Every structure is written in structure tokens, then in C-alpha cells.
Amino acid sequence: MTGRRVLFLGIFVSILLTYGIWIGGSIPATIIKLPDQGLNWYYWKLPNPTFWSRATAWGMYLGHQFSIWACILWAQRSQLKYKSALHPINYLMLAINGAFIALHFLQTYIWYDALAQDTSIWASQGAVVLLLVFVLILETPRRGLFFGNSVPFHQQFLQIIKLYHGYFFSFAAIYTFWYHPMEATVGHLIGFLYMFLLLLQSSLIFNRTHVNRWWTFTLEITVVLHSVVVSLMLGQSKWPTFLFGFIGILVLTQLHGLPVSILTKRTIYGAFLVSVLTVYGLTERGLGRIYEVTYIPLIEFGLVGAIYLIFLLILWTISRLPVKT
């Protein structure tokens, strides 16, 4: 089968799986949770975790994680080339991800608890943010960072990101996937759909579909829907911060990796500006807080800069070490 066909089939299956979580949502919904305790609290976890709730969540997560890492390592050592048809490793990774998705269904409905019981809510969110930041770095040779302008990153830096990004991306997706029980809230449903798509993407390594610019753009921009829905679900009024923050990155960076005309780009610029002014002018946020739209771009681009500075510092340190003769 071609990667293109598997991609469309995988998207369809991902939607069906999300529908399955919704259908079975009455089971995890019966679990009694502790009262919400604020920003640092994750609500959907057992008040009294058991040995088996922890052992199954962590055991299945580690099995999932190391299986996919082993596949990536094997694929790299085999020096596979990009092609339209699937490699055997793609079928294996699809099977592994499918099997652990089924196990997560069972684990939720039998033991409920996930990794949220033992790890911080910020770890899950931070993993996804760093994934998006590494995508920005990885795509700079093709689309730059700001309005298509190239970025003079050290070539060794880009080579390291390209070589190891699969390991981090799979960690971010699989850890986040096992962080949450399969609840049927709107936020969980969109989040799991996003995770299914990321797992599908990881299964298509060394296939031309894996680097299709429209597909990768779709994966980047889907975070907008998830962040806005979760903000509204939690009763927060700061949803414009997420909406226009992530769309701001689209305007600054992601748009310039797509084969669109100058007229299309200018139309999107104008629509973005008008939308920001309209929403902030008509909602309780007010025009006085319009600066909030810069938060997410500043965080993501700031992290790009921080990661690059860490690399340069390590490179400089290594260059200062005495050479053994």
C-alpha cells in the first residue's frame, strides 16, 4: 500500500477510535474524582490509586514507548530511503500503535488511572509545546522562521535535530497519550484524536507522506482547535490568547512553507488583523489586553532561541576542552 492511502485510511480510523471513546464514555465518567484544586491540578484521576492502576499505566506506557523507539533505531540503522510505498517497519509501527491504543481502552475501563496520577500536568503540556518548537526548528531550512526568511542556524545543530527528532516526537506523543484516561469530554476527545494523528504520523517514517507539507501543516495547526476548546471547557475567558497566539505563528512561519500565492498570504494577514481587533474589541478581554496574542509566539520562538543557545554553549565548551595527543 502507498503511504497516501494509509494516511487517509488512518485518519478515518482515528475518527472512528475517537467516536469509540465517546460511545464508551459513560464508563470512566462514573469514577468519583476529587474536587478541582486549581491550575496545577489534573481532575481526571483516581482519589485512591491502586498498585494495578499504576502498574498497568506505567507498564503499558513503557512498553509502547520502547517499542516505537526500537523501531526508529532499526529504521535509521537500516538507512531506509523515502518512498511512496510502505516499508515493513511502517506496518510494524502501525500494528504496535494500534495494539497499545486498544490496551489503553481496556486500561481506562478496568483501572481508569493514567500517568497523570504520578506526573505534573505541566509535563504533558510542556512535551507538546516542545514538540511544536522542534518542528519550527526542523522546518527552518524550508520555510524560515519569520515571513519565509532563512535562519543562519549552525548546520550541525540542524543535523542533530533531524537525526533525533523522531525519538523526542514519539516521546511527546506517547507520554501525552498515556497521561490521560480515555474520558469522553470534548477536550479529551479532540486531544485523543490529535494523539491518534501524531501516532499515525510517527508510523509513516521514511515514507513520502511523512513529509507532505499539507499533512504536516495540518498536524501543527490542529493544536489551535484543541487549546481553544479546552479553554472554553474549563470556563476560561482567555481562549483568544490561544486562538490568535497559534494563528499568529501560522501567519509568521507556517504559512510560508505552503505553496500559496502572495495574494492569499496578504488576505490571511488582513483577516488575522481584523479578527484580532474585532474579538478583543467586542469581548470582555478588551483592546487594552490585545498584547496577549504575543504570548504563545514569544514562548515558542523564545524556546527556539534558548535551545539554540544551549547548543552553541555546548559547542563552545567542547571547543575549549584540551585536545589529547
Side-chain angles (χ1 to χ4, degrees):
M1 293 182 68
T2 64
R4 184 184 180 90
R5 181 174 295 180
V6 170
L7 175 62
F8 285 112
L9 179 61
I11 293 172
F12 177 70
V13 171
S14 297
I15 294 171
L16 286 182
L17 290 170
T18 307
Y19 179 69
I21 296 174
W22 180 71
I23 290 295
S26 60
I27 298 175
T30 60
I31 299 295
I32 298 174
K33 290 92 172 176
L34 294 173
D36 196 339
Q37 298 178 28
L39 186 63
N40 296 320
W41 182 257
Y42 185 76
Y43 178 72
W44 292 275
K45 57 184 180 180
L46 291 176
N48 297 300
T50 67
F51 168 81
W52 286 111
S53 68
R54 281 193 163 104
T56 53
W58 281 102
M60 292 177 187
Y61 159 67
L62 292 173
H64 194 177
Q65 186 69 81
F66 283 105
S67 298
I68 294 299
W69 275 349
C71 289
I72 296 172
L73 180 62
W74 183 89
Q76 289 183 335
R77 289 187 173 180
S78 301
Q79 297 183 339
L80 299 181
K81 305 298 182 183
Y82 279 89
K83 64 177 186 178
S84 297
L86 266 64
H87 296 281
I89 195 66
N90 298 129
Y91 291 107
L92 178 59
M93 294 178 75
L94 285 167
I96 290 171
N97 283 321
F100 279 101
I101 288 171
L103 286 173
H104 199 355
F105 271 98
L106 293 175
Q107 196 272 338
T108 294
Y109 298 145
I110 297 174
W111 294 284
Y112 184 77
D113 235 1
L115 302 188
Q117 186 66 245
D118 301 308
T119 58
S120 169
I121 189 173
W122 300 109
S124 173
Q125 295 180 3
V128 175
V129 169
L130 283 176
L131 185 152
L132 297 172
V133 169
F134 277 107
V135 171
L136 291 177
I137 297 170
L138 192 64
E139 292 278 30
T140 50
R142 186 172 65 86
R143 67 187 184 189
L145 271 181
F146 303 104
F147 297 105
N149 294 309
S150 60
V151 180
F153 283 137
H154 195 290
Q155 282 304 307
Q156 188 177 355
F157 175 67
L158 293 174
Q159 289 170 2
I160 291 172
I161 296 295
K162 184 176 182 180
L163 180 62
Y164 294 106
H165 79 277
Y167 298 97
F168 179 77
F169 284 14
S170 69
F171 159 72
I174 294 171
Y175 170 75
T176 304
F177 174 69
W178 284 99
Y179 181 86
H180 306 274
M182 286 186 168
E183 283 275 0
T185 69
V186 177
H188 281 87
L189 292 174
I190 295 175
F192 273 108
L193 175 60
Y194 191 32
M195 291 303 107
F196 294 149
L197 296 179
L198 289 177
L199 294 175
L200 173 62
Q201 167 72 345
S202 73
S203 301
L204 295 173
I205 59 174
F206 294 104
N207 184 276
R208 291 196 179 98
T209 305
H210 186 76
V211 292
N212 179 282
R213 63 182 64 184
W214 285 106
W215 166 237
T216 55
F217 168 75
T218 300
L219 290 175
E220 284 187 275
I221 204 64
T222 303
V223 73
V224 177
L225 176 62
H226 180 250
S227 61
V228 171
V229 168
V230 169
S231 180
L232 290 171
M233 186 182 78
L234 296 176
Q236 299 172 345
S237 61
K238 58 183 180 182
W239 61 266
T241 304
F242 296 104
L243 175 63
F244 296 118
F246 284 116
I247 294 181
I249 295 175
L250 180 152
V251 169
L252 290 169
T253 307
Q254 295 160 347
L255 181 63
H256 307 284
L258 299 175
V260 295
S261 66
I262 295 296
L263 177 60
T264 300
K265 290 180 181 179
R266 290 176 177 173
T267 301
I268 292 174
Y269 298 159
F272 174 72
L273 182 60
V274 170
S275 299
V276 170
L277 292 173
T278 301
V279 169
Y280 272 87
L282 296 179
T283 65
E284 61 184 27
R285 307 303 284 177
L287 290 174
R289 303 188 68 172
I290 202 169
Y291 58 84
E292 293 175 341
V293 303
T294 66
Y295 287 171
I296 288 174
L298 285 174
I299 290 171
E300 291 205 15
F301 293 127
L303 285 171
V304 170
I307 292 168
Y308 188 52
L309 285 175
I310 291 171
F311 164 79
L312 292 177
L313 179 60
I314 294 172
L315 196 65
W316 177 83
T317 303
I318 292 173
S319 69
R320 303 290 292 182
L321 294 175
V323 178
K324 293 183 179 180
T325 57

